[in-house]
Amino acid sequence: MRTFDAIIVGAGQAGPSLAGRLAAAGMTVALIERKFVGGTCVNAGCMPTKTLVASARTAQVIRRSAEYGIRRDGGMQTDMAAVEKRAATVINNARNSLTSSLTSTEGISLIRGHARFESAKTIRVGDETLTAPRIFLNVGARPVIPPLPGLSDIEYLTSTSIIHLTALPRHLAIIGAGYIGLEFAQMYRRFGTEVSIIERGPYLAPREDDDICQAIGDVLRAEGISIHKNAEDIRLSKSGENIRISTAGNPDVEASHLLIATGRRPNTDDLGLEKAGVALDSKGYIVVDDHLSTNVDGIWALGDCNGHGAFTHTSYNDFEIVAANLLDGEDRKVSERIPAYALYIDPPLGRVGITEKEARAKGRSVATSTMPMSRVGRAVEKGETQGLMKVVADVETGQILGAAIFGVEGDEAIHGFIDAMHARTPYPVLKWAVPIHPTVSELIPTLLGGLKSA
C-alpha cells in the first residue's frame, strides 16, 4: 500500500490546480485519472466546442461579406476534416501541456486507472492500493442518455462523440434545447447542415426569462434552423438510411444524424462511494456542505460531481475555496459565489445572478429594464444588432439581482455586472460610471437608468 498526504480522483479543472497547491505546500499527492487529463473542458467541452464555434462563425462572416462591402468570388464549402483537425490540435496541445506540467512537478504522482474506494481512507487503482488522510473527488460528469423508445436500435451522437465528426451530416436532428444542443445546432447549420431541434418543453434555453428565450429562438430560426417545441412522447426508428423522430403534436423529422443533448449526469456510480459512506442526492450528486466537505470527514467533492455548478469556472472556484480554507486559513464558502455563465451561440448570451421570474418567485421587490441591442452603437457598427440587454434589481436594497446580455460580445460585457454584484455595489452608483465609447458595456448605465418596478 502506498501512502500519500492527499489523493485526488480526477484530473479535470479543479484536480490539477489543487494538486499543484498541495505539492507546493510540501505534501505528497496522488492524482488519479482513468482517461485524459483536463477533464470535460479540455477534451470534450469548452476548448473543442468553442474552437468549432469559431470555425462556424468564420463561415457565417464569409457568407455575409457582401453586407460589409467585401466581394468574394466563387462558392464556399466546409472542409469538416480540417475543422475537426483544428479542434483536435487544440485538445491535444492543452492535454499534453497539462500532462507535462503534472509529471514534472515534484510531489505529484500521476496515476492512470479507475479509482474505487475500499474504505473512507483507501482507494484501489487496478492492482495498487493507495491511502491518504485527505481525499478529493473531481470526477466530472457525462451525457445523459434518456430511455427513449427505439434509441437502442439506432446510432446516435453525444456532445462527446460529435466533436470528432470528419464529414458533414446532411441533416442533424438534436433532442434537447439546452445550451449544448443550441450551440451544436447553430454551429452545424453554419457549416451547411440542415438542422432540426426537438424539445419536450415549451422553451429553448428554459432556464432563462421568456423574453430571452424568444430572442434566442428568433436568432436560430432566422438562420434556417427548424424548431419543434412541446415534443412529447418522443419515439425513434430507422427509416431506410435515415433516423425518424416521431413526437406527439409535431410532424415527424427524418435526419441522417441524431444528437442526444438532454443534460449530463455525475460520474459517481462506479467509485465505490458506498464503501466510504459518502452520501449522494437523488440525482447522484455528491452531497457537500458550504466548504465542499462531504458527510465523511477528510473527503471533499469538487466540480461537476457536487451539483454546485457544471462549468469550468465553478470547478476552478471549488479548487480556490478548498485551497484557501485548507492552506491559507480562510473561510471561503460556495454560497458566496454568484452564479454566472454564457451560452456560446452567436450572438452569445452572458448571464449572472437570478432571472426576473426567479426573483419574483422569491418574493423580491423587483425592478427591471430591457434594451434592444439595436440601440448599442458597437452592435450597429458591426452589423450585429440581434438580441437584448436586461437587468433585474431589488427596489428596496438597490442591489442588482441578475442581468443578461444577449448580443454581440455579451459574454464579455456581462462582467461589468458580475464585478458590481460581487462588490455589492448598489445600482444607483453604477448609473454614474463613465464607460468607454464605442463598446457594448457603455450602455450599462443607460440600462440601469431605465429600471422600473412592475
Side-chain angles (χ1 to χ4, degrees):
M1 182 181 294
R2 296 172 65 185
T3 300
F4 295 87
D5 294 314
I7 296 173
I8 302 172
V9 182
Q13 289 304 300
S17 298
L18 181 59
R21 278 294 316 269
L22 296 176
M27 297 186 192
T28 56
V29 182
L31 177 58
I32 306 168
E33 175 54 55
R34 66 177 175 176
K35 197 170 185 182
F36 301 126
V37 299
T40 299
C41 177
V42 167
N43 298 287
C46 313
M47 298 195 75
T49 59
K50 278 43 180 185
T51 302
L52 294 170
V53 165
S55 293
R57 176 170 169 78
T58 299
Q60 185 72 353
V61 169
I62 292 172
R63 287 190 184 94
R64 295 185 61 197
S65 63
E67 297 177 31
Y68 299 89
I70 306 299
R71 296 179 180 177
R72 59 182 177 92
D73 297 324
M76 185 196 76
Q77 66 179 33
T78 299
D79 183 346
M80 201 62 208
V83 170
E84 189 275 339
K85 183 178 179 180
R86 179 172 175 269
T89 298
V90 169
I91 293 172
N92 290 328
N93 287 346
R95 182 194 298 162
N96 293 339
S97 176
L98 181 55
T99 301
S100 177
S101 175
L102 291 170
T103 55
S104 63
T105 300
E106 184 177 356
I108 298 177
S109 298
L110 180 59
I111 298 172
R112 303 286 188 168
H114 191 146
R116 293 182 177 87
F117 279 93
E118 292 200 336
S119 72
K121 302 298 180 187
T122 306
I123 287 179
R124 176 173 291 279
V125 184
D127 296 329
E128 188 172 25
T129 305
L130 317 175
T131 185
R134 305 173 189 86
I135 297 177
F136 305 90
L137 304 176
N138 181 218
V139 295
R142 64 186 186 274
V144 167
I145 306 301
L148 299 174
L151 184 61
S152 60
D153 299 325
I154 64 173
E155 294 184 6
Y156 59 88
L157 299 162
T158 68
S159 58
T160 300
S161 61
I162 193 173
I163 63 174
H164 301 295
L165 288 183
T166 57
L168 201 61
R170 178 186 57 78
H171 184 173
L172 175 65
I174 300 173
I175 296 179
Y179 310 119
I180 292 173
L182 297 182
E183 288 180 16
F184 279 109
Q186 187 187 54
M187 179 197 307
Y188 272 88
R189 180 60 186 152
R190 289 181 167 190
F191 286 151
T193 294
E194 183 180 354
V195 175
S196 299
I197 297 173
I198 296 96
E199 166 58 33
R200 287 176 172 173
Y203 300 107
L204 306 182
R207 289 173 60 178
E208 310 303 329
D209 280 328
D210 293 356
D211 47 4
I212 300 294
C213 295
Q214 180 62 49
I216 290 172
D218 291 344
V219 166
L220 298 180
R221 289 188 187 90
E223 294 194 19
I225 295 172
S226 176
I227 299 173
H228 304 259
K229 295 185 291 186
N230 297 307
E232 299 179 355
D233 189 23
I234 299 174
R235 303 176 306 282
L236 305 169
S237 60
K238 293 180 180 179
S239 178
E241 295 183 353
N242 292 329
I243 299 166
R244 176 179 290 134
I245 302 97
S246 303
T247 63
N250 285 282
D252 288 359
V253 174
E254 289 204 9
S256 59
H257 294 69
L258 173 66
L259 170 64
I260 302 295
T262 51
R264 296 175 65 81
R265 58 176 295 186
N267 293 323
T268 57
D269 49 344
D270 196 15
L271 288 174
L273 291 174
E274 67 282 356
K275 293 185 178 180
V278 174
L280 302 176
D281 68 12
S282 61
K283 296 182 179 180
Y285 292 102
I286 298 172
V287 178
V288 295
D289 63 16
D290 219 10
H291 297 95
L292 298 170
S293 297
T294 70
N295 63 304
V296 178
D297 186 48
I299 301 179
W300 293 258
L302 302 83
D304 296 4
C305 66
N306 65 25
H308 285 272
F311 305 102
T312 295
H313 54 278
T314 53
S315 182
Y316 188 82
N317 184 236
D318 284 357
F319 142 67
E320 293 177 312
I321 291 170
V322 169
N325 293 343
L326 285 179
L327 302 175
D328 303 330
E330 297 195 27
D331 185 26
R332 299 291 176 180
K333 300 174 182 177
V334 178
S335 59
E336 296 170 341
R337 182 163 69 208
I338 298 172
Y341 53 86
L343 164 62
Y344 288 98
I345 60 172
D346 182 26
L349 167 68
R351 275 276 292 112
V352 62
I354 60 177
T355 62
E356 178 185 355
K357 59 187 176 184
E358 288 173 323
R360 295 192 184 282
K362 292 176 182 289
R364 306 295 290 263
S365 178
V366 172
T368 65
S369 177
T370 60
M371 181 180 300
M373 292 299 292
S374 57
R375 287 190 56 188
V376 179
R378 184 65 174 271
V380 173
E381 293 148 10
K382 298 187 74 171
E384 300 180 33
T385 57
Q386 296 168 303
L388 71 153
M389 306 171 74
K390 181 173 185 176
V391 64
V392 181
D394 189 300
V395 176
E396 296 176 355
T397 66
Q399 294 296 316
I400 300 170
L401 300 177
I405 302 180
F406 176 48
V408 59
E409 299 170 17
D411 55 328
E412 290 289 347
I414 196 65
H415 285 83
F417 284 115
I418 293 174
D419 294 342
M421 292 175 67
H422 182 76
R424 297 193 62 78
T425 304
Y427 72 80
V429 174
L430 293 180
K431 287 165 59 175
W432 289 98
V434 184
I436 296 170
H437 173 80
T439 61
V440 175
S441 297
E442 73 173 313
L443 269 293
I444 289 178
T446 306
L447 180 67
L448 291 168
L451 280 166
K452 295 180 181 178
S453 301

